[in-house]
């Protein structure tokens, strides 16, 4: 008896989750979801007592109704959709009014406080979103920001083969998230590590570091780390966006250039960001021209902060001065991406005209689609090969 | 009109999540959950169409029934529990048979494929589980393992102030997870970064690196990164545990000692692990005595792999030889932790006797409780101050 218990315990110790699964299997078959076939994606969800279950996913058009699922004899709810085009997609279920994750799929992405399951449809457009055999590392890095008055968190990607103990030095892309995002948005929603891994492995992009700070000046880090019961990591809400932009120059860049094997020169610095981060990208170069040779705002435009009574309510003359400042400082690439149904598209078009008026060489990269990650992943995949060359 | 739209867009860009929240607030009040008061923890969950909602949490005894929640006039389900003792707890809701997360609490931990919400009850016992102002960094690091034949993922904690560009060198704790876990178990469930941060900040522990590999030799990384639709990161299931133990010595340690500012000596190496990782801790020292001065298995014992027909079915004589090997190689600390209702407690007691029989100085640290993270967090908090001194 003791021996049998011992053997059982050994099994539990070596794989207690597998055992629990095994025991569950004797009661009911395992659900595998999603199932990706040649022409469909099938979703399955066990919910014995639910009366209505629906599926919502990012392949749907804005405002499209949730997709009804149907219960089978095993009390599993099922639905099949036509295979969408190659890309990364998120989805979630709703059972009797409660939005819930797919328990059969442990791969998640996070948008603010919302967790969603993900899957990938393979194809040319999504090839760089998949795991690459030669992977770089992503670190959660704490740095001191005297400008904001806090120790703050950022993610730092170092490319495959990076070794701080070796002599090789690398260039750096500073990559900024949008409103509602945080320092993890680009690695979670944006697949930034996979994209840069694949571009480097294919020889399309130069090996580089990617630095992803938290652009919400009133946070020390992403909200998910505010564990209930422990002191909050929120700062004073009055902290202005310009303090963040200033901290990029005064705190983040000096930290990176003193802690990593990087080239501390303008020619080896790029900056990009989406939406609010596109605004931060421009604002950084307005206030501190001459730090970046590569300037790549996404889904933003001429007046990203055109609020009345705001520090950003600058007039055309001020904007012209800012642009002349960037022109005078010099740059190698000015690359603006925007979707043609993005609400910011008219502002992006105006910015394109202004850059032309000022005689500033630039690329205005227009795609279909709106203010969405589908575009921002694609923009990173498109402009990163142009950097540091 | 265009100006109003521009202003609206500016608001959306700078805080689209806040706006969505604001709009939601006009329809229904925001739910805050959990609420921690002086003597209770209150849970709240909006589920308009559910007929039964329950709460399950780690403060409950094994096998205890889920706690029924009660719906109020606003269609929010509520329940209050007596405040449990100081510690970190997890919980989840179940609505009409579907286990679901608390949408009001974005702090999660992950155990295998299961995500759970967490909260902390403040007190002496949990003080080191909370965010420390002086934080180290956690990196997801890919390394080549020729032993296993794959590039694999591990987490590496570097302490506050660590700078690979500086001259200071650090000791290293190799910290191993249990069955069902992966390379993220110790930072997610085990609060390893917070514990070491706090111990260092208080001057109780020496600044050190903590290396957390994936102990499932058939995985390249945690299962959650197997995104449906992309090639799987699972390896051949026949890969033996001894290959992992060998890869620790042949692949992991050389990688760490060539990429980080660490002291490449036995006196600056510690190893610990829980359950299966306790077995790996012992097995590493059985097969490769002399690599570690600090050996700290948790919740394991004399025969962690006592399966019939297994490579681990060694007899007393073989075990004695292994222990003599460790004794001969020499060590500074042999520290074994176990709960007195852990199923492994009898085996741990036997191991304690065997170490005494062999004249091997050691600590047998016995606590209440069983085979659970409550203990493993506490053990790390207890033995880490004894390392490298």
């Amino acid at each position: 008896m003791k021996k049998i218990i011992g053997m059982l315990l050994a099994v539990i110790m070596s794989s207690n989750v597998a055992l629990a699964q095994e025991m569950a299997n004797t009661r009911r078959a395992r659900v595998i979801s999603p199932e990706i076939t040649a022409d469909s994606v099938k979703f399955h969800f066990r919910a014995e007592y639910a009366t209505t279950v629906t599926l919502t996913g990012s392949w749907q058009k804005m405002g499209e109704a949730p997709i009804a699922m149907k219960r089978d004899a095993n009390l599993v709810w099922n639905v099949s959709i036509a295979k969408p085009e190659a890309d990364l997609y998120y989805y979630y279920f709703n059972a009797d009014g409660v939005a819930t994750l797919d328990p059969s799929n442990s791969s998640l992405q996070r948008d603010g406080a919302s967790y969603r399951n993900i899957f990938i449809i393979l194809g040319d457009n999504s090839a760089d979103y998949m795991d690459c055999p030669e992977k770089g590392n992503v670190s959660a890095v704490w740095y001191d920001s005297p400008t904001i008055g806090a120790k703050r968190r950022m993610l730092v990607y170092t490319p495959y083969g990076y070794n701080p103990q070796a002599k090789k030095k690398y260039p750096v892309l500073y990559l900024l998230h949008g409103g509602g995002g945080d320092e993890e948005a680009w690695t979670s929603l944006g697949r930034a590590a996979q994209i840069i891994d694949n571009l480097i492995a294919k020889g399309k992009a130069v090996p580089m570091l990617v630095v992803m700070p938290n652009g919400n000046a009133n946070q020390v880090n992403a909200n998910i780390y505010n564990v209930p019961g422990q002191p909050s990591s929120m700062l004073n809400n009055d902290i202005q966006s310009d303090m963040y932009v200033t901290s990029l120059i005064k705190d983040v860049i000096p930290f990176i250039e003193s802690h990593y094997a990087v080239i501390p020169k303008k020619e080896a610095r790029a900056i990009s960001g989406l939406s609010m981060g596109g605004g931060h990208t421009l604002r950084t170069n307005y206030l501190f021209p001459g730090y970046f040779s590569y300037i790549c705002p996404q889904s933003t435009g001429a007046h990203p902060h055109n609020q009345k009574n705001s520090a950003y309510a600058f007039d055309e003359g001020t904007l012209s001065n800012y642009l002349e400042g960037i022109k005078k400082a010099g740059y190698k690439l000015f690359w603006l991406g925007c979707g043609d149904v993005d609400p910011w598209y008219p502002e992006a078009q105006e910015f394109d005209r202004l850059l032309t008026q000022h005689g500033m060489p630039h690329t205005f990269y227009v795609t279909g689609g709106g203010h969405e990650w589908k575009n921002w992943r694609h923009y990173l995949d498109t402009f990163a090969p142009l950097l540091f060359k």
Side-chain angles (χ1 to χ4, degrees), chain A:
Chain A
M1 183 60 188
K2 201 187 161 192
K3 194 166 177 184
I4 292 172
I5 292 176
M7 286 168 61
L8 251 178
L9 287 173
V11 171
I12 292 170
M13 259 185 74
S14 60
S15 60
N16 46 17
V17 156
L19 181 70
Q21 189 60 58
E22 211 56 50
M23 288 167 71
N25 287 350
T26 62
R27 295 198 306 272
R28 49 191 204 179
R30 190 174 160 209
V31 171
I32 294 175
S33 175
E35 278 185 279
I36 301 171
T37 74
D39 56 2
S40 71
V41 183
K42 293 174 178 165
F43 300 86
H44 310 289
F45 178 57
R46 191 191 306 278
E48 286 94 333
Y49 309 107
T51 54
T52 311
V53 177
T54 61
L55 165 71
T56 300
S58 60
W59 60 88
Q60 295 183 282
K61 290 197 168 51
M62 179 97 76
E64 207 174 305
I67 302 162
M69 297 179 76
K70 216 176 150 184
R71 190 167 55 180
D72 66 20
N74 296 317
L75 305 178
V76 173
W77 297 75
N78 308 287
V79 74
S80 177
I81 63 162
K83 193 171 182 168
E85 64 178 353
D87 211 323
L88 182 149
Y89 295 94
Y90 71 74
Y91 70 100
Y92 61 95
F93 299 131
N94 187 302
D96 288 353
V98 174
T100 189
L101 294 171
D102 184 347
S104 303
N105 179 2
S106 51
S107 290
L108 303 186
Q109 68 177 26
R110 180 176 62 80
D111 195 355
S114 296
Y115 294 88
R116 302 285 183 242
N117 291 106
I118 57 170
F119 64 91
I120 293 178
I121 301 297
L122 302 186
D124 287 348
N125 188 49
S126 62
D128 288 351
Y129 307 163
M130 286 185 290
D131 270 4
C132 172
E134 301 188 342
K135 294 176 185 71
N137 299 333
V138 175
S139 304
V141 174
W142 290 90
Y143 66 100
D144 193 21
S145 173
T147 306
I148 287 176
K151 292 187 170 65
R152 304 185 74 230
R153 187 175 185 261
M154 60 183 163
L155 295 198
V156 177
Y157 164 92
T158 52
Y160 178 73
Y162 175 85
N163 185 348
Q165 307 300 318
K167 289 218 186 323
K168 183 171 165 54
K169 308 279 181 206
Y170 296 80
V172 184
L173 164 62
Y174 294 84
L175 188 60
L176 314 181
H177 63 80
D182 53 53
E183 72 272 22
E184 297 182 358
W186 266 109
T187 50
S188 178
L189 300 148
R191 304 288 284 181
Q194 287 84 0
I195 290 170
I196 304 296
D197 282 346
N198 280 296
L199 289 173
I200 294 171
K202 289 174 181 170
K204 288 187 181 177
V206 166
M208 65 182 86
L209 272 72
V210 184
V211 173
M212 295 157 278
N214 184 315
N216 309 306
N218 64 335
Q219 291 185 335
V220 303
N221 60 338
N223 253 327
I224 55 162
Y225 299 109
N226 292 332
V227 178
Q230 85 173 5
S232 171
S233 58
M234 297 301 293
L235 301 169
N236 186 340
N237 255 320
D238 293 335
I239 296 177
Q240 294 295 319
S241 174
D242 269 2
M243 287 177 71
Y244 167 61
V245 161
T246 305
S247 78
L248 271 183
I249 299 296
K250 304 287 186 196
D251 307 332
V252 174
I253 291 179
F255 182 94
I256 293 297
E257 295 183 352
S258 62
H259 285 70
Y260 290 87
V262 298
I263 305 159
K265 287 184 180 162
K266 178 186 172 187
E267 289 67 31
R269 292 190 206 111
I271 186 165
S272 178
L274 68 94
S275 192
M276 179 181 83
H280 287 151
T281 297
L282 293 176
R283 190 79 186 158
T284 305
N285 286 280
Y286 293 164
L287 299 188
F288 303 95
Y291 273 83
F292 301 93
S293 274
Y294 303 84
I295 304 169
C296 309
Q298 309 173 36
S299 300
T300 189
H303 300 93
H305 295 284
N306 195 19
Q307 294 105 320
K308 251 189 173 173
N309 303 322
S310 137
Y312 301 107
F314 46 75
D315 56 23
E316 293 300 323
T318 307
L319 181 53
S320 282
N321 287 341
Y322 284 150
L323 293 180
E324 287 298 324
I326 294 173
K327 185 181 174 183
K328 192 178 163 198
Y331 58 88
K332 286 198 173 174
L333 179 74
F334 207 123
W335 191 101
L336 172 66
C338 199
D340 63 8
V341 296
D342 190 315
W344 278 95
Y345 185 52
E347 293 283 350
Q349 286 178 304
E350 189 180 337
F351 197 66
D352 169 43
R353 282 192 298 270
L354 279 170
L355 289 172
T356 303
Q357 271 175 24
H358 283 268
M360 296 172 71
H362 66 283
T363 299
F364 185 31
Y365 185 81
V366 178
T367 60
H371 208 69
E372 54 190 329
W373 276 102
K374 174 190 173 64
N375 273 343
W376 301 322
R377 284 187 293 264
H378 174 67
Y379 297 158
L380 176 61
D381 199 31
T382 305
F383 76 74
L386 309 175
L387 305 178
F388 314 122
K389 284 178 176 173

